[in-house]
Amino acid sequence: MNDFIDALYTAARLIARLDPELREIVVLSLAVSLTASVCAFLIGSPVGAALASGGAAP
Amino acid sequence: MIIITNALLGLPPVVVGLVVYLLLSRSGPLGSLGILFTPTAMIIAQAILGVPIVVALVHRMMVDVWAVYGDALLVDGASRLRAIASIMSIGREGQLTAFLAAFGRAIAEVGAIIIVGGNIRGYTRTMTTAIALETSKGDLSLALALGIVLIVLSMVVSGVSLFFGRALTGR
């Protein structure tokens, strides 16, 4: 239990002082996921809408 | 097509990672692009996992919009393409929900992106992959810190999705 509390305390410190490694990891995660979601959206949205309109045949 | 989408929704993410890895590896068909173990590969994997989510959610929202507006648009002379564009604009809040759902899925991904990204420090190490690594190293403080950030982020995304869902549909 003590180890856990120590780890939690250190974790809070890392967050509070915006530890550079933490920051780097978070920024990368956000960049990758945002880009991926935008791509997924750009591809998926027209497909979903076309399917809802009863087929993609123009 | 719907059946395919629903089947794709149930696809194990780590298998998607494996397939992308095979496609992007040196001996694979797209190996010459050299994008294995880069953030680009991770984006590809997360996007592949996100497309079925967006298609399914947008489709579900659009069926209702189309039922209301579709015939009117077509009767008024719109080509099917323009009608689709119009219902996409009308069903805007559904699109936002779909986007946020895909983002929530992407930010939580671990297995696929560890395979195609390689969890390289400072390059392809994301929150989720770092948590996996740090926990297995026994370095719990960084793992916990990242975990807290990730949870808070997920809650914010869910909250925003809920808020916009309510606000834009006037409920």
Side-chain angles (χ1 to χ4, degrees):
Chain A
M1 194 59 194
N2 262 332
D3 284 340
F4 176 65
I5 294 182
D6 285 339
L8 202 54
Y9 184 63
T10 312
R13 266 213 326 255
L14 284 172
I15 296 175
R17 60 162 220 255
L18 296 176
D19 178 73
E21 189 178 8
L22 183 79
R23 213 171 34 208
E24 179 179 56
I25 292 174
V26 171
V27 165
L28 177 71
S29 306
L30 287 173
V32 167
S33 295
L34 272 172
T35 313
S37 331
V38 167
C39 292
F41 180 75
L42 290 176
I43 298 174
S45 181
V47 172
L51 288 174
S53 71
Chain B
M1 192 58 200
I2 317 285
I3 302 172
I4 296 177
T5 307
N6 277 314
L8 289 175
L9 277 173
L11 206 57
V14 75
V15 172
V16 172
L18 174 64
V19 170
V20 174
Y21 176 89
L22 291 171
L23 286 173
L24 298 179
S25 71
R26 289 273 175 87
S27 45
L30 301 175
S32 49
L33 294 173
I35 50 182
L36 190 58
F37 304 133
T38 66
T40 307
M42 298 197 293
I43 292 173
I44 291 175
Q46 287 184 352
I48 292 176
L49 289 166
V51 165
I53 294 175
V54 173
V55 170
L57 281 176
V58 168
H59 174 262
R60 203 203 313 157
M61 315 261 175
M62 289 303 169
V63 165
D64 294 334
V65 177
W66 182 261
V68 173
Y69 295 96
D71 287 333
L73 285 167
L74 289 175
V75 160
D76 280 348
S79 71
R80 182 165 231 106
L81 222 58
R82 287 237 23 224
I84 291 174
S86 298
I87 61 163
M88 279 173 70
S89 170
I90 295 169
R92 236 168 293 140
E93 62 271 9
Q95 311 242 35
L96 184 65
T97 309
F99 171 77
L100 290 172
F103 179 75
R105 183 67 191 80
I107 201 91
E109 182 49 42
V110 186
I113 60 174
I114 273 191
I115 291 180
V116 304
N119 207 5
I120 301 167
R121 174 187 218 166
Y123 191 47
T124 58
R125 191 170 292 178
T126 64
M127 288 190 276
T128 49
T129 64
I131 290 174
L133 178 67
E134 298 297 325
T135 306
S136 66
K137 275 163 60 181
D139 186 357
L140 296 176
S141 50
L142 183 58
L144 273 171
L146 288 166
I148 291 169
V149 173
L150 193 52
I151 288 180
V152 168
L153 199 65
S154 299
M155 293 199 305
V156 166
V157 169
S158 297
V160 168
S161 183
L162 197 66
F163 171 74
F164 273 109
R166 293 242 181 96
L168 290 172
T169 52
R171 242 173 283 152

